[in-house]
Amino acid sequence: MATSIEQRGYAHPEALVSTDWVEQHLNDPKVRIVESNEDTLLYSSGHIPGAVHVDWTSDLNDQLRRDYITREGFEALMSKIGATKDTTVVFYGDKNNWWACYAFWVFQLFGHTNARIMDGGRVKWQKENRAVSRDVPSYPKTEYKAADRNDAPHRAFREDVFAHLKKQGQLVDVRSPEEYAGTRMHMPDYPNEGALRGGHIPGAKSVPWAKAINPDDGTFKSADDLKKLYCDDNKLAPAKETIAYCRIGERSSHTWFALKYLLGFENIRNYDGSWTEWGNMVGVPIEK
Amino acid sequence: MPEKLDKVIEMFQMFDPADRTDVLLSYADQFKEVPASIATRPFPKSHQVPQCESDAYVWAQKLPDSTMKLYFAVENPSGISAKALAAILDKTLSGLPASEIATVNCDIVEKIFRQNISMGKGMGLMAMVNAVQALARAASQNN
């Protein structure tokens, strides 16, 4: 049984809310609950009552280029889900909150800092036999004025990674050990989605994302356990500039969240180009 | 391709994404878990579908009239797609001779799920079809 969020020693405990908290705020007009999954059927099969669905491919990604939605797209999305700047957006989803953290991260590119992750995600809510609904809620549209997308604080591009490499900056590779070692080109049980080379970015530490969670209920481990994992065992320093990556940036959003909000890493960015970009680029350094 | 399955796939081809989601959920709701007379927990690993993150199991029982009845279990509560596919396979293949079931091909997964197929899911669902095919092939060779 996990201890309460407040007791776990996190740097920014306010970024996480419990399933109890969500249940107590189901009818709170200042709270919008957002489900983001990998499996597109899950939301329709039953979600937290009142929760809206934000799909990582159709809602958050540009439909033509490999990039995220524009300011106008974000404003339209927030209007559609009935959120204002004052709305507390709480994300949860499958895969121990991979896609919830990914959506949370994209929201930060537009400065919607009034955002939370529901600890344990969908699986914890289900295991606790809490209410689910198939009713798709509808909220009055809002006028949401967003700032232009500001990638710099949270997102690393390949040029940033090159510069980071030159400085021998901290990199954390959150993929499976087999992907890191280059013996496997994709996640176990996942299709090969196209990297021509296997291995990792030189100097990257291998800390698979799932080590940050308690496997029984999907909740995040305590700050002490996370410190041991990232800082003691893998010598990552919270004060140093850090870049996390995986395959397309979804698993590393999860680690980005854990390092930034739970351990207080001051300057951490997510390299969403990740291995599907690095493993395909001509002439870049790779280690196995 | 068995005729009943062919017709179901043909129906799926006509759906728009919203309809496809509704029908897949409807199949998932009709999913029936393997009865205790066939298997009880802990289910034997020999019946587990490899590569399926929904933790799916499959059994094929040969009936006196030489047809087969398929049974499934899906242990992951989020395994909605696996349940939908299991229900489709059961409704369209159970009652057929093993040799006919053995003609099923895993490319039906893409045809049924289309945009509802996610990165991790496709491999596991195709593995479910392959497991059914393997059981049917083994049964038809034992004739």
Side-chain angles (χ1 to χ4, degrees), chain A residues 34 58 87 203 222 225 255-256:
Chain A
V34 171
S58 57
T87 303
S222 70
D225 288 347
T255 299
W256 170 86

Side-chain angles (χ1 to χ4, degrees), chain A residues 236-252:
Chain A
L236 293 167
K240 286 188 181 169
E241 196 179 330
T242 309
I243 292 176
Y245 73 94
C246 58
R247 191 184 59 88
I248 57 168
E250 86 293 22
R251 286 174 284 179
S252 45

Side-chain angles (χ1 to χ4, degrees), chain A residues 100-160:
Chain A
C101 288
Y102 182 86
F104 179 106
W105 174 72
V106 173
F107 272 49
Q108 300 320 298
L109 305 181
F110 294 97
H112 194 94
T113 54
N114 196 3
R116 314 276 186 269
I117 294 289
M118 186 181 84
D119 196 30
R122 191 181 160 93
V123 70
K124 187 165 193 285
W125 186 271
Q126 282 185 310
K127 281 188 175 179
E128 292 168 348
N129 292 316
R130 295 180 193 264
V132 292
S133 169
R134 286 190 175 182
D135 294 337
V136 176
S138 170
Y139 297 102
K141 287 193 172 185
T142 54
E143 284 287 325
Y144 189 102
K145 289 291 173 201
D148 279 332
R149 205 181 74 212
N150 182 15
D151 294 332
H154 305 296
R155 186 181 186 194
F157 290 90
R158 57 183 176 274
E159 294 80 7
D160 302 318

Side-chain angles (χ1 to χ4, degrees), chain A residues 80-93:
Chain A
K80 186 179 82 173
I81 67 172
T84 70
K85 291 214 168 190
D86 295 327
T87 303
T88 299
V89 180
V90 179
F91 297 91
Y92 78 101

Side-chain angles (χ1 to χ4, degrees), chain B residues 59-130:
Chain B
W59 293 262
Q61 184 190 30
K62 200 165 187 180
L63 302 175
D65 63 358
S66 287
T67 64
M68 293 187 78
K69 166 72 180 156
L70 299 174
Y71 298 101
F72 298 88
V74 176
E75 295 291 79
N76 184 338
S78 293
I80 304 298
S81 304
K83 286 181 181 172
L85 181 63
I88 291 170
L89 293 173
D90 177 33
K91 286 176 184 297
T92 58
L93 300 181
S94 284
L96 297 176
S99 58
E100 204 171 333
I101 295 175
T103 62
V104 68
N105 188 298
C106 69
D107 66 5
I108 64 165
V109 170
E110 198 277 333
K111 291 175 181 165
I112 291 171
F113 287 87
R114 290 291 180 94
Q115 86 288 346
N116 284 119
I117 203 155
S118 61
M119 286 184 302
K121 214 163 63 177
M123 300 284 276
L125 296 177
M126 287 192 279
M128 277 179 74
V129 178
N130 287 336

